[in-house]
Amino acid sequence: MSIKLSSGKEIPVEMHKARMVQKIWLSPVEERLKAIEEAGYNTFLLKTKDMFLDMLTDSGTNAMSDNQFAAMMKVDDAYAGSMTFYEFADAVRDVLGYKHVMNVHQGRAAEHLISKVFAKSGDVVPTNYHFTTTKVHIELTGGATCLEIYTDEALKTESTFPFKGNMDPQKLKDTIEKYGREKIPFVRMEATTNLLGGQPFSMENLKEIKRICIQYGIPLVLDGSLMCENAYLIRQRERGYENKTVAEIVKEMCDIADLFYMSGRKNTCVRGGCIATNNKELFEKIQPWLPVYEGFFTYGGMSQREIAAMAIGMREMVNPDLAGCAIEQIKYFIKRLVETRIPVVTPPGGLACHLDAMKFLPHIPQSQYPAGALTAALYIASGIRSMERGTISMERDEEGNEVFSDLELTRIALPRRVYTMSHIEYAIDRINWLYNHRDLIKGLKFVYEPPVLRFFLGKLEAIDNWGRGLSEAFKNELGDY
Ligand code: F0G
């Protein structure tokens, strides 16, 4: 939650205490330069020992609760028929309102199964915006095309529009008319839209999209990986929802979707995922494939210990202290950066603080990956690991041409219940330092480029070796740290 101090200043306050801790190190800038060079200017390839704050992602990096750890001690390890799975199914029924559920090992496994079962070559899947793994599964497993039907506001990085994750209803209708209903296996809505900078959709929009889906007889699939943050923001921003609880809003969202899936690594703070629905027919189309790719239906690629922790996480995730914990930190983080005119995605959303690399580094063309360069530069200047969410995260087209991303973002994620105010203050300070030295940063070029999801394993180098100049400027002004 946020608390207003007597000075009038509002600060995020952690509604938990740390009772188990993990050591972190801040290495000197010279070593940080060496580490990023060895990692091919790709923060995915850094090692934890070389970083101070790991703000790469909120996926699988959240702090579990005491009750989750306790639940992991007492599980039913049966391969088939495990009671731990049925306890999880009870939590899904109570929290999401779905009767049918299957576990999968993580979110992309759900995307794989759903794409494989429902999408075929020549189909199109309209979505409010793609996620990297979703797009690859729709295009590779299903052979379909992923179409983005966002609103005009979505790509404006500086905005006051509260629901940049909305789908444009008119454009959806036009798309269905253009391709024909039979070419559209499902419409996909993603909560707290990841690649748009963690931006929510409104309940009104979700309902309108559903009305269109009903009109044409197309199932609506909800990617609820970041659903609780979306619900928390609906409560804060949408008229008529101010007196509803996050739990009520989550249930209402789930009630609208025909088919639901989530990565459990975010909201439930545990490795895993699930697919759930009240539509038996849809469920039965997917279920036979589960043992082929994931495991028997009472474990679906997860260990029973993880399922036990996920059952507790499912019940805890709708608590506003958890649903809002990253959101309030991000709001503070972004407000402070806006004060010093750092180009950052607004309004604040969920998941992360996103720097707008095209505005931060206007001298770097997209062909030289401004978001990748900024992400590497932030690491050199701070030891903070963030993530490139721009052209490097895109796939080349069939002819091998570069596909430029709509947005070039450096994503500084806030895992739930992990970092404190002083960590955020440190990040704000180093981002400001970097902004004042932005002319020292140049572009990147690939030296090794994998054929798929290249952002994970690709290696790049700094044009004109700019990393050295940046680290020397840092050392001259601030010393080793
Ligand atoms: N959908 C959304 C909206 C996601 O953010 C993610 C993962 C997935 C699906 C895939 O889930 O990782 O469990 O297989 N997002 C992570 C991130 C990787 O860093 O934003 P997964």
Side-chain angles (χ1 to χ4, degrees):
M1 66 190 275
S2 262
I3 284 189
K4 215 177 222 161
L5 301 180
S6 44
S7 64
K9 189 177 162 190
E10 205 174 307
I11 57 161
V13 170
E14 295 87 0
M15 297 305 289
H16 48 263
K17 55 186 176 181
R19 295 185 59 242
M20 192 172 95
V21 295
Q22 190 175 11
K23 176 92 186 82
I24 51 176
W25 292 269
L26 176 57
S27 52
V29 65
E30 272 295 318
E31 282 180 29
R32 302 195 303 247
L33 175 66
K34 204 162 142 255
I36 197 76
E37 282 174 348
E38 277 172 20
Y41 278 76
N42 179 352
T43 53
F44 274 98
L45 300 180
L46 289 167
K47 296 189 178 116
T48 300
K49 72 172 179 55
D50 295 320
M51 73 191 66
F52 178 42
L53 308 179
D54 188 4
M55 295 179 162
L56 180 81
T57 179
D58 66 336
S59 171
T61 53
N62 304 291
M64 292 205 311
S65 70
D66 47 1
N67 285 322
Q68 285 184 291
F69 278 109
M72 287 178 100
M73 290 293 115
K74 190 174 165 284
V75 294
D76 176 359
D77 275 327
Y79 183 97
S82 161
M83 290 318 292
T84 302
F85 168 76
Y86 289 104
E87 279 162 29
F88 173 73
D90 286 347
V92 168
R93 196 200 48 233
D94 293 349
V95 178
L96 308 181
Y98 293 126
K99 287 194 292 246
H100 310 291
V101 65
M102 62 183 99
N103 282 109
V104 288
H105 78 273
Q106 62 184 83
R108 68 201 67 183
E111 291 167 342
H112 170 235
L113 288 171
I114 292 170
S115 303
K116 181 183 166 51
V117 170
F118 297 109
K120 58 183 187 312
S121 185
D123 284 355
V124 289
V125 176
T127 172
N128 52 344
Y129 208 73
H130 79 276
F131 181 68
T132 51
T133 55
T134 326
K135 190 169 157 78
V136 167
H137 280 300
I138 288 172
E139 293 181 350
L140 290 181
T141 329
T145 308
C146 185
L147 277 188
E148 281 146 348
I149 318 249
Y150 46 80
T151 61
D152 294 342
E153 278 294 321
L155 301 184
K156 292 183 194 154
T157 49
E158 279 168 82
S159 166
T160 52
F161 190 68
F163 295 111
K164 292 202 290 185
N166 280 357
M167 184 178 275
D168 187 318
Q170 189 54 48
K171 285 190 206 153
L172 175 62
K173 278 191 203 161
D174 296 345
T175 304
I176 301 172
E177 292 292 341
K178 180 173 164 198
Y179 291 94
R181 183 262 159 268
E182 63 291 345
K183 287 266 174 244
I184 301 182
F186 57 89
V187 171
R188 172 181 174 274
M189 285 291 277
E190 179 184 310
T192 313
T193 324
N194 191 324
L195 296 188
L196 288 177
Q199 298 292 318
F201 53 65
S202 69
M203 189 71 86
E204 188 190 0
N205 184 254
L206 187 66
K207 285 182 182 162
E208 196 165 352
I209 297 307
K210 172 71 176 192
R211 275 195 291 274
I212 298 169
C213 287
I214 292 174
Q215 185 187 337
Y216 290 93
I218 302 171
L220 178 61
V221 173
L222 175 63
D223 177 339
S225 306
L226 289 159
M227 178 175 50
C228 295
E229 281 78 12
N230 201 121
Y232 190 88
L233 290 167
I234 285 178
R235 186 175 189 279
Q236 287 189 336
R237 296 181 186 173
E238 190 164 350
R239 203 148 6 116
Y241 285 89
E242 46 287 88
N243 296 322
K244 297 217 171 170
T245 62
V246 172
E248 286 166 340
I249 299 171
V250 159
K251 225 180 200 159
E252 190 173 335
M253 280 162 51
C254 288
D255 191 42
I256 294 169
D258 297 294
L259 187 63
F260 169 93
Y261 76 90
M262 74 188 287
S263 164
R265 300 168 61 93
K266 293 172 178 258
N267 278 180
T268 63
C269 303
V270 87
R271 172 204 170 264
C274 69
I275 301 175
T277 180
N278 280 327
N279 185 321
K280 199 157 177 271
E281 203 185 314
L282 293 179
F283 189 78
E284 286 177 349
K285 280 192 178 145
I286 305 171
Q287 206 187 22
W289 294 101
L290 190 68
V292 179
Y293 292 104
E294 298 294 303
F296 190 67
F297 84 88
T298 54
Y299 75 91
M302 290 175 66
S303 72
Q304 294 298 345
R305 292 194 199 285
E306 291 164 330
I307 295 177
M310 192 169 168
I312 301 290
M314 183 71 62
R315 294 186 191 277
E316 290 179 345
M317 71 181 187
V318 290
N319 185 316
D321 290 337
L322 179 53
C325 123
I327 299 243
E328 296 300 339
Q329 289 188 323
I330 293 161
K331 192 167 85 183
Y332 176 84
F333 198 163
I334 289 179
K335 183 169 173 283
R336 291 283 311 281
L337 292 176
V338 168
E339 278 165 15
T340 50
R341 299 190 199 295
I342 307 289
V344 68
V345 174
T346 54
L351 168 65
C353 164
H354 294 82
L355 302 178
D356 181 347
M358 278 199 274
K359 289 190 183 146
F360 203 111
L361 303 171
H363 52 284
I364 302 183
Q366 272 192 287
S367 56
Q368 293 176 9
Y369 313 121
L374 183 56
T375 303
L378 178 62
Y379 170 73
I380 295 171
S382 66
I384 295 173
R385 171 160 78 161
S386 57
M387 187 191 289
E388 192 269 2
R389 292 279 82 153
T391 297
I392 297 176
S393 298
M394 298 292 286
E395 304 291 308
R396 287 184 184 266
D397 69 13
E398 275 168 20
E399 281 84 51
N401 299 313
E402 196 75 84
V403 176
F404 293 130
S405 177
D406 294 325
L407 300 171
E408 293 285 343
L409 305 177
T410 285
R411 182 182 93 172
I412 309 167
L414 270 296
R416 294 159 191 82
R417 301 184 290 215
V418 174
Y419 293 118
T420 62
M421 275 287 276
S422 61
H423 293 132
I424 295 170
E425 289 293 345
Y426 171 80
I428 293 166
D429 181 80
R430 290 304 189 255
I431 292 165
N432 274 286
W433 183 88
L434 205 54
Y435 193 59
N436 295 333
H437 296 77
R438 60 192 180 279
D439 293 345
L440 297 175
I441 308 170
K442 293 188 185 170
L444 300 174
K445 62 171 189 273
F446 267 104
V447 289
Y448 164 65
E449 190 177 337
V452 66
L453 295 175
R454 61 184 181 170
F455 61 92
F456 282 129
L457 294 174
K459 288 206 159 195
L460 302 99
E461 70 186 19
I463 292 170
D464 297 339
N465 200 14
W466 59 259
R468 167 126 323 265
L470 185 70
S471 68
E472 275 164 15
F474 184 95
K475 211 171 155 120
N476 287 340
E477 287 179 38
L478 298 171
D480 285 340
Y481 306 98

